[in-house]
Short mmCIF file of all heavy atoms in Angstrom, two decimals:
data_model
loop_
_atom_site.label_atom_id
_atom_site.label_comp_id
_atom_site.label_asym_id
_atom_site.label_seq_id
_atom_site.Cartn_x
_atom_site.Cartn_y
_atom_site.Cartn_z
N ASN A 27 4.89 -214.36 -28.12
CA ASN A 27 4.40 -213.28 -29.04
C ASN A 27 2.89 -213.10 -28.83
O ASN A 27 2.11 -213.97 -28.74
CB ASN A 27 4.63 -213.74 -30.45
CG ASN A 27 6.14 -213.73 -30.87
OD1 ASN A 27 6.86 -212.89 -30.33
ND2 ASN A 27 6.54 -214.59 -31.81
N GLY A 28 2.57 -211.75 -28.84
CA GLY A 28 1.15 -211.44 -28.67
C GLY A 28 0.69 -211.38 -27.15
O GLY A 28 -0.53 -211.25 -26.94
N ALA A 29 1.62 -211.57 -26.22
CA ALA A 29 1.23 -211.59 -24.84
C ALA A 29 0.84 -210.17 -24.30
O ALA A 29 0.18 -210.10 -23.24
CB ALA A 29 2.38 -212.10 -24.00
N GLY A 30 1.22 -209.13 -25.01
CA GLY A 30 0.88 -207.79 -24.56
C GLY A 30 2.02 -206.91 -24.06
O GLY A 30 1.79 -205.86 -23.51
N LYS A 31 3.22 -207.39 -24.28
CA LYS A 31 4.38 -206.66 -23.73
C LYS A 31 4.60 -205.29 -24.35
O LYS A 31 4.73 -204.28 -23.57
CB LYS A 31 5.65 -207.49 -23.98
CG LYS A 31 5.58 -208.97 -23.38
CD LYS A 31 6.85 -209.72 -23.63
CE LYS A 31 7.15 -209.95 -25.20
NZ LYS A 31 6.20 -210.80 -25.84
N THR A 32 4.61 -205.15 -25.65
CA THR A 32 4.80 -203.91 -26.31
C THR A 32 3.55 -202.99 -26.06
O THR A 32 3.69 -201.72 -25.89
CB THR A 32 5.08 -204.07 -27.77
OG1 THR A 32 6.25 -204.82 -27.95
CG2 THR A 32 5.22 -202.70 -28.45
N THR A 33 2.37 -203.58 -25.95
CA THR A 33 1.22 -202.79 -25.67
C THR A 33 1.35 -202.15 -24.27
O THR A 33 1.00 -200.96 -24.11
CB THR A 33 -0.06 -203.67 -25.68
OG1 THR A 33 -0.24 -204.25 -26.98
CG2 THR A 33 -1.28 -202.87 -25.27
N LEU A 34 1.87 -202.92 -23.28
CA LEU A 34 2.09 -202.35 -21.96
C LEU A 34 3.10 -201.21 -22.02
O LEU A 34 2.86 -200.16 -21.41
CB LEU A 34 2.60 -203.49 -21.00
CG LEU A 34 2.66 -203.07 -19.55
CD1 LEU A 34 2.30 -204.24 -18.65
CD2 LEU A 34 3.99 -202.53 -19.17
N PHE A 35 4.19 -201.41 -22.81
CA PHE A 35 5.09 -200.28 -23.00
C PHE A 35 4.49 -199.08 -23.53
O PHE A 35 4.75 -197.97 -23.09
CB PHE A 35 6.22 -200.75 -23.97
CG PHE A 35 7.51 -201.24 -23.36
CD1 PHE A 35 7.48 -201.87 -22.15
CD2 PHE A 35 8.71 -200.95 -23.95
CE1 PHE A 35 8.65 -202.28 -21.59
CE2 PHE A 35 9.93 -201.38 -23.36
CZ PHE A 35 9.89 -202.10 -22.14
N ASN A 36 3.63 -199.29 -24.53
CA ASN A 36 2.92 -198.11 -25.13
C ASN A 36 1.97 -197.43 -24.21
O ASN A 36 1.80 -196.19 -24.32
CB ASN A 36 2.26 -198.59 -26.41
CG ASN A 36 3.18 -198.86 -27.52
OD1 ASN A 36 4.38 -198.34 -27.59
ND2 ASN A 36 2.76 -199.65 -28.50
N CYS A 37 1.44 -198.16 -23.27
CA CYS A 37 0.64 -197.57 -22.23
C CYS A 37 1.47 -196.71 -21.27
O CYS A 37 1.14 -195.57 -20.93
CB CYS A 37 -0.16 -198.60 -21.41
SG CYS A 37 -1.51 -199.42 -22.39
N VAL A 38 2.54 -197.27 -20.78
CA VAL A 38 3.40 -196.60 -19.84
C VAL A 38 4.01 -195.34 -20.45
O VAL A 38 4.10 -194.26 -19.79
CB VAL A 38 4.50 -197.53 -19.27
CG1 VAL A 38 5.46 -196.77 -18.36
CG2 VAL A 38 3.91 -198.74 -18.59
N SER A 39 4.44 -195.38 -21.72
CA SER A 39 5.03 -194.24 -22.40
C SER A 39 3.92 -193.31 -22.92
O SER A 39 4.28 -192.34 -23.56
CB SER A 39 5.96 -194.64 -23.43
OG SER A 39 5.32 -195.45 -24.46
N ARG A 40 2.69 -193.64 -22.71
CA ARG A 40 1.54 -192.82 -23.04
C ARG A 40 1.25 -192.65 -24.52
O ARG A 40 0.58 -191.72 -24.93
CB ARG A 40 1.62 -191.44 -22.37
CG ARG A 40 1.78 -191.53 -20.86
CD ARG A 40 0.70 -192.39 -20.06
NE ARG A 40 -0.60 -191.87 -20.37
CZ ARG A 40 -1.51 -192.53 -21.14
NH1 ARG A 40 -1.23 -193.75 -21.60
NH2 ARG A 40 -2.71 -191.98 -21.32
N LEU A 41 1.70 -193.60 -25.35
CA LEU A 41 1.26 -193.66 -26.70
C LEU A 41 -0.12 -194.21 -26.79
O LEU A 41 -0.89 -193.91 -27.73
CB LEU A 41 2.26 -194.55 -27.57
CG LEU A 41 3.73 -194.00 -27.62
CD1 LEU A 41 4.52 -194.98 -28.42
CD2 LEU A 41 3.73 -192.63 -28.30
N TYR A 42 -0.47 -195.10 -25.85
CA TYR A 42 -1.83 -195.66 -25.74
C TYR A 42 -2.44 -195.19 -24.44
O TYR A 42 -1.71 -195.07 -23.44
CB TYR A 42 -1.87 -197.22 -25.67
CG TYR A 42 -1.45 -197.84 -26.99
CD1 TYR A 42 -1.21 -199.27 -26.98
CD2 TYR A 42 -1.34 -197.19 -28.18
CE1 TYR A 42 -0.74 -199.91 -28.10
CE2 TYR A 42 -0.92 -197.83 -29.33
CZ TYR A 42 -0.64 -199.25 -29.30
OH TYR A 42 -0.25 -199.87 -30.40
N THR A 43 -3.72 -194.96 -24.45
CA THR A 43 -4.45 -194.70 -23.20
C THR A 43 -5.31 -195.97 -22.78
O THR A 43 -6.13 -196.39 -23.63
CB THR A 43 -5.40 -193.50 -23.30
OG1 THR A 43 -4.64 -192.34 -23.65
CG2 THR A 43 -6.22 -193.24 -22.06
N PRO A 44 -4.94 -196.57 -21.66
CA PRO A 44 -5.73 -197.80 -21.29
C PRO A 44 -7.20 -197.54 -21.16
O PRO A 44 -7.66 -196.45 -20.91
CB PRO A 44 -5.16 -198.06 -19.90
CG PRO A 44 -3.82 -197.43 -19.88
CD PRO A 44 -3.97 -196.16 -20.70
N SER A 45 -7.97 -198.59 -21.49
CA SER A 45 -9.50 -198.56 -21.41
C SER A 45 -9.93 -198.36 -20.00
O SER A 45 -10.95 -197.75 -19.72
CB SER A 45 -10.01 -199.85 -22.03
OG SER A 45 -9.43 -200.07 -23.27
N SER A 46 -9.13 -198.83 -18.98
CA SER A 46 -9.47 -198.72 -17.56
C SER A 46 -8.20 -198.93 -16.80
O SER A 46 -7.17 -199.39 -17.31
CB SER A 46 -10.55 -199.67 -17.18
OG SER A 46 -10.13 -201.03 -17.28
N GLY A 47 -8.30 -198.57 -15.49
CA GLY A 47 -7.03 -198.77 -14.68
C GLY A 47 -6.24 -197.52 -14.50
O GLY A 47 -6.66 -196.42 -14.94
N ASP A 48 -5.12 -197.61 -13.90
CA ASP A 48 -4.29 -196.43 -13.70
C ASP A 48 -2.79 -196.79 -13.86
O ASP A 48 -2.43 -197.98 -13.72
CB ASP A 48 -4.50 -195.84 -12.22
CG ASP A 48 -4.25 -194.40 -12.15
OD1 ASP A 48 -3.64 -193.78 -13.14
OD2 ASP A 48 -4.56 -193.75 -11.10
N LEU A 49 -1.92 -195.75 -13.98
CA LEU A 49 -0.54 -195.90 -14.03
C LEU A 49 0.04 -194.91 -13.08
O LEU A 49 -0.17 -193.76 -13.18
CB LEU A 49 -0.04 -195.57 -15.48
CG LEU A 49 -0.39 -196.51 -16.62
CD1 LEU A 49 -0.24 -195.88 -17.94
CD2 LEU A 49 0.53 -197.78 -16.57
N LEU A 50 0.89 -195.47 -12.11
CA LEU A 50 1.47 -194.62 -11.12
C LEU A 50 2.99 -194.51 -11.30
O LEU A 50 3.58 -195.63 -11.37
CB LEU A 50 1.13 -195.05 -9.70
CG LEU A 50 -0.38 -195.22 -9.31
CD1 LEU A 50 -0.55 -195.72 -7.98
CD2 LEU A 50 -1.08 -193.86 -9.54
N PHE A 51 3.49 -193.36 -11.27
CA PHE A 51 4.93 -193.16 -11.43
C PHE A 51 5.40 -192.34 -10.21
O PHE A 51 4.92 -191.18 -10.08
CB PHE A 51 5.38 -192.46 -12.72
CG PHE A 51 6.79 -192.25 -12.90
CD1 PHE A 51 7.65 -193.30 -12.96
CD2 PHE A 51 7.32 -190.96 -13.02
CE1 PHE A 51 9.02 -193.13 -13.14
CE2 PHE A 51 8.70 -190.75 -13.24
CZ PHE A 51 9.56 -191.85 -13.27
N GLU A 52 6.26 -192.93 -9.36
CA GLU A 52 6.64 -192.24 -8.08
C GLU A 52 5.34 -191.75 -7.31
O GLU A 52 5.31 -190.75 -6.66
CB GLU A 52 7.55 -191.05 -8.34
CG GLU A 52 8.84 -191.51 -8.97
CD GLU A 52 9.80 -190.31 -9.17
OE1 GLU A 52 9.37 -189.21 -9.47
OE2 GLU A 52 11.01 -190.57 -9.03
N GLY A 53 4.35 -192.65 -7.30
CA GLY A 53 3.16 -192.42 -6.55
C GLY A 53 2.14 -191.46 -7.13
O GLY A 53 1.09 -191.22 -6.56
N ARG A 54 2.39 -190.99 -8.36
CA ARG A 54 1.60 -190.04 -9.02
C ARG A 54 1.02 -190.55 -10.29
O ARG A 54 1.75 -191.21 -11.11
CB ARG A 54 2.48 -188.77 -9.32
CG ARG A 54 1.81 -187.77 -10.19
CD ARG A 54 2.80 -186.59 -10.47
NE ARG A 54 2.34 -185.59 -11.45
CZ ARG A 54 3.11 -184.67 -11.87
NH1 ARG A 54 4.37 -184.48 -11.45
NH2 ARG A 54 2.55 -183.79 -12.66
N SER A 55 -0.32 -190.44 -10.55
CA SER A 55 -1.02 -190.93 -11.72
C SER A 55 -0.40 -190.18 -12.95
O SER A 55 -0.36 -188.94 -12.93
CB SER A 55 -2.47 -190.77 -11.65
OG SER A 55 -3.08 -191.15 -12.80
N ILE A 56 -0.12 -190.93 -13.95
CA ILE A 56 0.25 -190.33 -15.24
C ILE A 56 -0.69 -190.68 -16.34
O ILE A 56 -0.40 -190.54 -17.51
CB ILE A 56 1.74 -190.72 -15.62
CG1 ILE A 56 1.85 -192.31 -15.80
CG2 ILE A 56 2.76 -190.25 -14.66
CD1 ILE A 56 3.11 -192.76 -16.39
N ILE A 57 -1.86 -191.23 -15.94
CA ILE A 57 -2.79 -191.71 -16.94
C ILE A 57 -3.32 -190.69 -17.92
O ILE A 57 -3.64 -190.96 -19.06
CB ILE A 57 -3.98 -192.43 -16.26
CG1 ILE A 57 -4.85 -193.33 -17.21
CG2 ILE A 57 -4.97 -191.34 -15.72
CD1 ILE A 57 -4.02 -194.60 -17.49
N LYS A 58 -3.23 -189.41 -17.52
CA LYS A 58 -3.68 -188.27 -18.42
C LYS A 58 -2.55 -187.54 -19.07
O LYS A 58 -2.73 -186.56 -19.72
CB LYS A 58 -4.58 -187.33 -17.55
CG LYS A 58 -5.95 -187.92 -17.13
CD LYS A 58 -6.80 -186.90 -16.40
CE LYS A 58 -8.10 -187.54 -15.93
NZ LYS A 58 -8.96 -186.64 -15.23
N SER A 59 -1.30 -187.99 -18.73
CA SER A 59 -0.17 -187.34 -19.25
C SER A 59 0.00 -187.63 -20.74
O SER A 59 -0.32 -188.66 -21.29
CB SER A 59 1.10 -187.73 -18.52
OG SER A 59 1.00 -187.41 -17.18
N THR A 60 0.66 -186.69 -21.47
CA THR A 60 1.06 -186.91 -22.87
C THR A 60 2.47 -187.56 -22.97
O THR A 60 3.18 -187.45 -22.01
CB THR A 60 1.04 -185.53 -23.61
OG1 THR A 60 2.03 -184.69 -22.96
CG2 THR A 60 -0.34 -184.88 -23.51
N PRO A 61 2.83 -188.12 -24.12
CA PRO A 61 4.14 -188.71 -24.26
C PRO A 61 5.33 -187.73 -23.91
O PRO A 61 6.24 -188.11 -23.23
CB PRO A 61 4.18 -189.14 -25.71
CG PRO A 61 2.78 -189.42 -26.04
CD PRO A 61 1.98 -188.35 -25.32
N HIS A 62 5.21 -186.47 -24.36
CA HIS A 62 6.30 -185.53 -24.07
C HIS A 62 6.31 -185.13 -22.60
O HIS A 62 7.34 -184.83 -22.03
CB HIS A 62 6.18 -184.30 -24.93
CG HIS A 62 5.08 -183.34 -24.62
ND1 HIS A 62 3.84 -183.46 -25.14
CD2 HIS A 62 5.03 -182.27 -23.81
CE1 HIS A 62 3.10 -182.44 -24.69
NE2 HIS A 62 3.78 -181.73 -23.86
N HIS A 63 5.09 -185.20 -21.93
CA HIS A 63 5.08 -184.93 -20.52
C HIS A 63 5.80 -186.03 -19.72
O HIS A 63 6.47 -185.76 -18.76
CB HIS A 63 3.63 -184.70 -20.01
CG HIS A 63 3.52 -184.32 -18.63
ND1 HIS A 63 2.55 -184.77 -17.83
CD2 HIS A 63 4.35 -183.50 -17.86
CE1 HIS A 63 2.68 -184.30 -16.57
NE2 HIS A 63 3.74 -183.51 -16.60
N VAL A 64 5.51 -187.29 -20.07
CA VAL A 64 6.11 -188.33 -19.24
C VAL A 64 7.64 -188.39 -19.49
O VAL A 64 8.42 -188.76 -18.57
CB VAL A 64 5.50 -189.72 -19.56
CG1 VAL A 64 4.04 -189.77 -19.13
CG2 VAL A 64 5.62 -190.13 -20.99
N ALA A 65 8.07 -187.96 -20.69
CA ALA A 65 9.51 -187.86 -20.97
C ALA A 65 10.17 -186.79 -20.08
O ALA A 65 11.21 -187.03 -19.46
CB ALA A 65 9.73 -187.57 -22.46
N ALA A 66 9.39 -185.74 -19.86
CA ALA A 66 9.96 -184.67 -18.95
C ALA A 66 9.90 -185.14 -17.49
O ALA A 66 10.78 -184.69 -16.68
CB ALA A 66 9.10 -183.41 -19.10
N LEU A 67 8.97 -186.06 -17.17
CA LEU A 67 8.91 -186.61 -15.75
C LEU A 67 10.04 -187.55 -15.52
O LEU A 67 10.46 -187.77 -14.29
CB LEU A 67 7.56 -187.30 -15.58
CG LEU A 67 6.32 -186.45 -15.49
CD1 LEU A 67 5.06 -187.37 -15.33
CD2 LEU A 67 6.42 -185.53 -14.22
N GLY A 68 10.63 -188.08 -16.56
CA GLY A 68 11.76 -189.02 -16.39
C GLY A 68 11.49 -190.43 -16.87
O GLY A 68 12.11 -191.39 -16.31
#
């Protein structure tokens, strides 16, 4: 508990914006995407 698992989920689904770093989906950065945009991406 408290290890950061749900926080990571919230970053990938774009509910949170990470303080640094990047998120790549199929080789494409989604760090600036909105939650509804990543849903449309798959």
Side-chain angles (χ1 to χ4, degrees):
N27 287 331
K31 305 181 296 296
T32 297
T33 298
L34 190 145
F35 260 36
N36 288 338
C37 288
V38 176
S39 58
R40 304 306 303 110
L41 296 178
Y42 294 165
T43 297
S45 310
S46 62
D48 205 352
L49 291 159
L50 302 180
F51 181 61
E52 297 184 323
R54 172 183 173 185
S55 175
I56 60 170
I57 200 72
K58 295 182 180 179
S59 298
T60 59
H62 72 271
H63 184 218
V64 296
L67 289 176

